[in-house]
Amino acid sequence: MDSEQLPLSGRTALVTGAGRGVGRGIALALADAGARVAVNDLYAERAAAVAAEATARDGTALPLAFDVTDEQSVADALARLREQAGGVDVLVHNAGVLDGGGRPSRFADMPVADWRAQLDLNLAALMLLVQQVLPHQVEQGWGRLVQISSGASAQGLPIGVAAYGAAKAGGEGLMRHLAVEYGPHGVTANSLALGLMEGLGRADEPRVRRMIDSVPVRRLGTGADAGAAVLWLASEPGGYTNGQVIHLNGGTVFGR
Ligand SMILES: NC(=O)c1ccc[n+]([C@@H]2O[C@H](COP(=O)([O-])OP(=O)(O)OC[C@H]3O[C@@H](n4cnc5c(N)ncnc54)[C@H](O)[C@@H]3O)[C@@H](O)[C@H]2O)c1
């Protein structure tokens, strides 16, 4: 297909935490769809590897390593990106798992630094990023903001992730407000709340088998599933979807 006809031709996207896992799938899907994709990660080598993978598939991608929780790093990286590729038309804040996985614990036992780290990564970083990209999106009258959220925002779980769930729910609330504030400027804001995704272990492990059996479609989600959903939200046909939390979870029913 002529690259001019691809759904995101001419658009610049930034995907955070895209050096592996779900973010990698999203970055590749957007690059395949013609976007120029900035691949962010804490680790430069992860960002470079995914950018190279996208380029090898005939996409356009550049690695952009920085810590999304650090205000100055965010400002500097976004300034660099504006110089290299113009403003960000599509922002996907996907980085949401603390480096090293975080330390799940019952809330009363959770050190303040640990729950603050969840808020920093899942909520404050989203706010920092959005403030960087909105001026360009409003000026051109077109933009897409996508928060990668989790079912943990909507369902209580007894696995020590209260702060993570609260931070994700906060992000969803932010997006709902941004949808109304900026919809009139051509900017949509949505959350994609993921269910059980691949990478939680091998399919033959009994623990993982039980997870798979709990999903109505009897499989775990993939980065490609998330990429397809983000592509929909980012492309023109997705433009009437605004202020929504879309649960991408194979039909998992909460509470079972
Ligand atoms: N995997 C799941 O089952 C699942 C389920 C629900 C929601 N989610 C959400 O999906 C998103 C991706 O999850 P994943 O499982 O692919 O994570 P992952 O840990 O496999 O990858 C995340 C990437 O983010 C990077 N990162 C971490 N902190 C960063 C920071 N401060 N700045 C920049 N990059 C940073 C890491 O280096 C890593 O490469 C997260 O928002 C997570 O909350 C995942």
Side-chain angles (χ1 to χ4, degrees):
M1 186 191 273
D2 180 347
S3 66
E4 287 308 307
Q5 296 169 6
L6 293 172
L8 296 183
S9 291
R11 302 290 187 201
T12 296
L14 167 62
V15 185
T16 66
R20 71 177 192 192
V22 170
R24 169 182 164 273
I26 295 170
L28 294 177
L30 298 184
D32 286 349
R36 190 187 302 116
V37 180
V39 179
N40 161 260
D41 204 277
L42 262 186
Y43 294 99
E45 63 277 14
R46 289 187 194 169
V50 172
E53 202 179 344
T55 307
R57 289 156 64 136
D58 284 341
T60 307
L62 60 139
L64 196 65
F66 64 95
D67 180 350
V68 295
T69 65
D70 183 79
E71 184 179 346
Q72 194 59 51
S73 303
V74 172
D76 292 347
L78 271 286
R80 267 200 322 277
L81 183 56
R82 276 191 290 274
E83 270 171 32
Q84 288 173 14
V88 172
D89 306 308
V90 178
L91 169 69
V92 185
H93 181 41
N94 162 80
V97 177
L98 289 170
D99 194 28
R103 289 182 293 184
S105 87
R106 281 157 64 93
F107 188 66
D109 305 321
M110 183 174 272
V112 171
D114 285 16
W115 61 254
R116 275 200 201 282
Q118 292 292 352
L119 293 180
D120 278 346
L121 182 58
N122 281 295
L123 181 54
L126 178 64
M127 291 172 152
L128 292 172
L129 291 158
V130 163
Q131 285 196 320
Q132 285 288 330
V133 305
L134 263 176
H136 160 78
Q137 297 189 349
V138 168
E139 189 183 37
Q140 72 176 3
W142 196 96
R144 298 285 194 264
L145 306 171
V146 182
Q147 175 219 9
I148 300 303
S149 189
S150 161
S153 68
Q155 180 188 25
L157 297 165
I159 55 173
V161 296
Y164 168 81
K168 289 292 197 192
E172 291 176 6
L174 176 72
M175 301 307 272
R176 225 173 264 126
H177 284 272
L178 296 178
V180 176
E181 280 187 25
Y182 293 97
H185 299 277
V187 178
T188 65
N190 293 287
S191 299
L192 195 61
L194 306 181
L196 296 169
M197 305 296 284
E198 277 183 359
L200 295 166
R202 289 202 335 267
D204 57 355
E205 289 175 45
R207 180 182 60 86
V208 177
R209 193 65 253 166
R210 280 195 298 278
M211 286 184 201
I212 293 171
D213 287 343
S214 76
V215 181
V217 301
R218 295 293 185 267
R219 68 174 178 85
L220 302 181
T222 65
D225 291 323
V230 171
L231 174 57
W232 159 257
L233 291 172
S235 56
E236 289 314 313
Y240 200 58
T241 304
N242 191 24
Q244 302 303 308
V245 179
I246 297 163
H247 285 271
L248 191 86
N249 61 12
T252 299
V253 180
F254 292 145
R256 288 207 189 143

